[in-house]
Amino acid sequence: MLEKKSSAFTTYCRGYENVLSNLVEVAPAYDPESGFSRSLFRKYRAVWDTGATHSAITSQVVRDFALRATGMAVVYDATTTQNVHTYSVNILLPNHVEFSDWEVAEAGGLVGDEDILIGMDIIGTGDFAVSNKERTVFTFRYPSQEEISFSRQT
């Protein structure tokens, strides 16, 4: 991870949503301190999934960048277990926090038009909250700064 200062974003949905998604940017893995050109980044719609332990990309992202597999992983969902390829990418969130040389699994397909799945490996590095007053809103802050509780108990 390149950036350590606090940074946050909030995504406001038009109505109530049962899928949390927004745009993120992805590039093949590189060292951000190398002065590498940011022109390789492409925007993709990402789904934020607290039920996923690791982040993933679709086969479309693999093809877009002609990525080479870095290994294999076993992926579990509600009904199946699969062996899938893993890849190293850089993921840039809307708050300009970059996760560099991040290992992701290949997912056959995601919800709707999403090509990236942001899992707990990324969500768990910061503070994440969802609210549903009049519409769905979700927010993410990196790095984590404090415990968030809507019910303070001592």
Side-chain angles (χ1 to χ4, degrees):
M1 286 163 272
L2 176 64
E3 200 167 304
K4 295 294 183 188
K5 68 179 184 173
S6 177
S7 186
F9 73 83
T10 301
T11 297
Y12 299 90
C13 302
R14 292 184 180 178
Y16 297 107
E17 299 290 335
N18 61 2
V19 175
L20 305 176
S21 70
N22 62 5
L23 292 176
V24 301
E25 295 181 58
V26 177
Y30 73 93
D31 178 3
E33 295 181 12
S34 69
F36 186 77
S37 171
R38 298 231 337 111
S39 64
L40 268 184
F41 274 92
R42 293 185 188 180
K43 290 185 180 185
Y44 293 93
R45 182 149 293 281
V47 59
W48 290 70
D49 187 348
T50 60
T53 57
H54 289 84
S55 298
I57 58 176
T58 62
S59 302
Q60 182 62 50
V61 177
V62 173
R63 286 191 301 274
D64 287 350
F65 292 114
L67 296 174
R68 289 184 171 184
T70 57
M72 297 290 291
V74 178
V75 175
Y76 305 90
D77 66 24
T79 59
T80 62
T81 302
Q82 308 178 52
N83 289 318
V84 298
H85 288 105
T86 58
Y87 300 90
S88 290
V89 296
N90 283 24
I91 299 174
L92 184 66
L93 301 181
N95 55 352
H96 303 290
V97 171
E98 187 172 342
F99 291 83
S100 303
D101 198 18
W102 206 256
E103 183 178 286
V104 295
E106 183 174 3
L110 299 173
V111 176
D113 62 348
E114 285 84 11
D115 283 302
I116 309 295
L117 183 144
I118 303 295
M120 287 303 295
D121 56 334
I122 290 178
I123 297 170
T125 66
D127 298 322
F128 183 72
V130 180
S131 63
N132 284 294
K133 173 124 172 93
E134 299 177 12
R135 65 179 170 176
T136 302
V137 175
F138 68 98
T139 189
F140 178 76
R141 173 177 59 198
Y142 173 87
S144 179
Q145 292 183 7
E146 62 186 300
E147 183 177 294
I148 298 172
S149 174
F150 298 116
S151 167
R152 297 277 183 215
Q153 297 179 353
T154 56

